[in-house]
Amino acid sequence: MTLIAILLGTLAAGIGSVWLAAALSFGVLARYTQHMLSLAAGALLGTAFLHLLPEAFESGVNAQALFLTLLVGVVFFFLLDKAELWHHGHEHHHDDAGHDHDHDHGHHHGHGHAPERLAGGWSVLAGDSVHCFGDGILIASAFMADLRLGVIAALAVLAHEVPHHMGDLMVLRLSSGTRKAALLKVTLAGAITALGGLVGYWLVDLLRDYLTYFLVVASSSFIYVALADLIPQLQKRLSLAETLAQIAWLLAGIGLVTVASIVAHTH
């Protein structure tokens, strides 16, 4: 039952986020892109602070050890981001020397700079696949702890992957030539989330005594993405109405994972 839930959750998060990103990039929902960033940030923060971390701290493991794991996790994801930035910057320097470029890596999103990375499509796809694989492991960790936590984690991953996949679609549309080809490639990369879920199921089952630490590492990932990636994109001068909309969508993201938790708990 748990394995089936992991497969369903990872497929929904991995592929569902791609199709929602396509609707936001190519369809009638394009004007809601900024709202999606706020919603995703709220969902990630709500999942980490209201669900995953409380579950971890209820396990009885020493609080100092858990906080240390959280700190190490945040620093690790920071260093991972730096490594990916360096890799893509170095690669693009050789592919397109002298031009400005955008860092389409594990968490960052292309916004208007994609035309200059025509040769980088497969690199973006490879990075996206690795990132989706990691998301699958995080979702599996949550499902192994509790079905309710798994549903929340899958929902949070879906929300935060949407802006990321939008950047991938922009790049791959240019390198592939058509929207359909770009959508197919990113969908296949999103499906790697399920593979990560399978590996996560085996890994967490093997290391079940360390499940609490897996939850804290998942929390550190969500907190890092929200605070280092999504929220900085919202920090711009806006009108009062636009600022209130940002706050409302942020709170809606927190509310969304809370409602999902209640629904999953009743079932």
Side-chain angles (χ1 to χ4, degrees):
M1 178 63 187
T2 301
L3 181 58
I4 294 173
I6 288 172
L7 288 174
L8 291 175
T10 50
L11 286 172
I15 297 177
S17 60
V18 174
W19 285 82
L20 186 53
L24 288 166
S25 298
F26 307 141
V28 294
L29 299 177
R31 58 181 172 171
Y32 296 106
T33 302
Q34 283 297 309
H35 296 323
M36 196 65 211
L37 291 174
S38 299
L39 184 77
L44 289 174
L45 292 174
T47 299
F49 287 110
L50 300 180
H51 301 287
L52 295 183
L53 287 176
E55 181 76 16
F57 279 94
E58 285 176 5
S59 67
V61 175
N62 181 268
Q64 187 172 5
L66 295 182
F67 275 119
L68 179 60
T69 303
L70 183 66
L71 176 61
V72 170
V74 170
V75 172
F76 169 77
F77 288 112
F78 166 72
L79 294 175
L80 189 63
D81 240 3
K82 297 294 283 186
E84 290 176 339
L85 279 169
W86 180 86
H87 169 72
H88 286 298
H90 180 73
E91 176 187 75
H92 186 64
H93 174 74
H94 290 289
D95 288 343
D96 194 16
H99 292 279
D100 292 329
H101 62 283
D102 179 44
H103 302 294
D104 290 291
H105 57 85
H107 295 307
H108 286 242
H109 326 299
H111 291 297
H113 302 291
E116 300 178 23
R117 289 211 59 197
L118 292 172
W122 287 109
S123 174
V124 170
L125 202 59
D128 194 20
S129 299
V130 172
H131 181 62
C132 289
F133 184 83
D135 282 337
I137 293 176
L138 297 181
I139 292 172
S141 301
F143 270 113
M144 293 291 281
D146 184 76
L147 180 64
R148 175 182 59 87
L149 286 180
V151 171
I152 296 166
L155 187 62
V157 167
L158 187 153
H160 100 260
E161 280 300 316
V162 169
H164 164 59
H165 286 317
M166 288 173 67
D168 294 336
L169 286 168
M170 291 176 194
V171 174
L172 290 168
R173 181 187 173 188
L174 290 162
S175 62
S176 302
T178 66
R179 292 179 180 179
K180 188 176 293 186
L183 181 58
L184 177 61
K185 288 178 181 178
V186 181
T187 298
L188 290 174
I192 298 295
T193 308
L195 180 60
L198 286 173
V199 172
Y201 175 77
W202 171 80
L203 186 64
V204 176
D205 189 52
L206 189 66
L207 303 172
R208 186 170 286 276
D209 291 343
Y210 298 94
L211 178 58
T212 298
Y213 295 97
F214 278 98
L215 294 178
V216 176
V217 170
S219 299
S220 68
S221 172
F222 290 176
I223 292 168
Y224 177 80
V225 173
L227 297 183
D229 184 12
L230 300 180
I231 287 180
Q233 295 185 61
L234 303 175
Q235 295 287 46
K236 55 184 72 173
R237 187 179 295 276
L238 299 172
S239 66
L240 178 60
E242 290 171 326
T243 301
L244 291 175
Q246 267 191 353
I247 296 170
W249 280 92
L250 185 76
L251 294 175
I254 297 172
L256 184 64
V257 296
T258 302
V259 170
S261 172
I262 294 171
V263 171
H265 187 67
T266 57
H267 288 76

